[in-house]
């Protein structure tokens, strides 16, 4: 009969002992000759300039961008967050993330001011019961009234709630 001497734990195989064992992760590439590296660098530079040219052309011709309409615009921003409401809808931005809502995608817009502090919160509610809040830090509490009136003017001009829609359909 054979008997083992030592621990009954099997030695770890794979990624625990060798990082190159993980599928999808490759080890360092061997050094390439200088000529090949120079050709690759030139091709990469040409590809980058072509991509930049394509991006600039795309920015110049954007069919979705409309010239801003003559009407009220609400805009508030701080160091991280930004909200813009105009004829196209409401755009919320926080750091690098942003979302756009057309007026027909919005069920309600709610504003709230902090009891203490200088935070102005705008929440966009959609008809599918989702909400998207954003907080803007005001330079002073006196800006709250100004922002409220500007946002109300934009909502009165562009936002058509269900009651107004039903009235216009009945007439």
């Amino acid at each position: 009969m054979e008997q083992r001497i030592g621990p009954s734990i099997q030695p770890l195989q794979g990624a625990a002992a060798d990082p190159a064992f993980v599928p999808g992760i490759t080890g360092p590439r061997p050094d390439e000759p200088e000529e090949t590296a120079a050709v690759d660098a030139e091709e990469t530079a040409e590809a980058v300039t072509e991509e930049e040219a394509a991006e600039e052309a795309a920015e110049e011709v954007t069919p979705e961008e409309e010239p801003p309409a003559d009407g009220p615009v609400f805009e508030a921003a701080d160091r991280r967050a930004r909200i813009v409401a105009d004829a196209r809808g409401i755009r919320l931005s926080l750091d690098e993330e942003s979302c756009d809502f057309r007026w027909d995608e919005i069920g309600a817009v709610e504003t709230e001011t902090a009891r203490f502090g200088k935070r102005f919160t705008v929440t966009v509610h959609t008809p599918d019961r989702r909400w998207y809040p954003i907080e803007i830090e005001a330079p002073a509490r006196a800006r709250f009234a100004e922002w409220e009136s500007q946002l109300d003017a934009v909502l009165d001009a562009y936002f058509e709630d269900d009651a107004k829609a039903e009235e216009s359909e009945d007439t």
Side-chain angles (χ1 to χ4, degrees):
M1 172 146 203
E2 193 173 312
Q3 187 175 3
R4 290 190 178 176
I5 301 174
S8 62
I9 300 173
Q10 296 294 323
L12 295 175
Q13 299 294 325
D18 182 15
F21 181 78
V22 178
I25 297 179
T26 58
R29 294 175 36 186
D31 292 335
E32 297 179 0
E34 291 180 16
E35 296 172 3
T36 307
V39 170
D40 289 343
E42 290 175 11
E43 291 175 358
T44 304
E46 290 175 6
V48 168
T49 56
E50 290 175 4
E51 289 176 7
E52 289 174 358
E55 288 176 4
E56 289 176 8
E59 288 176 3
E60 291 175 4
V61 181
T62 52
E64 295 176 6
E65 292 290 325
E66 300 172 357
D70 294 332
V73 175
F74 169 71
E75 187 170 346
D78 64 7
R79 58 183 162 66
R80 293 186 60 206
R82 176 184 188 89
I83 179 172
V84 177
D86 57 13
R88 293 187 304 177
I90 297 179
R91 289 175 300 287
L92 307 175
S93 302
L94 181 64
D95 296 331
E96 289 84 35
E97 300 296 323
S98 66
C99 55
D100 298 342
F101 300 97
R102 294 185 319 265
W103 288 111
D104 61 341
E105 298 175 323
I106 299 172
V109 177
E110 178 183 13
T111 60
E112 184 180 354
T113 57
R115 184 171 181 189
F116 302 106
K118 299 183 284 186
R119 295 207 181 265
F120 182 74
T121 305
V122 177
T123 305
V124 176
H125 296 270
T126 60
D128 59 349
R129 296 187 180 177
R130 295 186 184 263
W131 60 93
Y132 302 88
I134 191 162
E135 290 184 340
I136 306 288
E137 189 169 336
R141 288 185 62 84
R143 295 292 301 260
F144 290 164
E146 178 186 342
W147 285 351
E148 286 275 355
S149 64
Q150 288 177 356
L151 184 58
D152 284 343
V154 171
L155 293 175
D156 289 342
Y158 305 118
F159 183 65
E160 185 174 308
D161 59 1
D162 293 337
K164 289 182 184 177
E166 290 175 5
E167 287 177 12
S168 65
E169 289 176 3
D170 291 341
T171 58

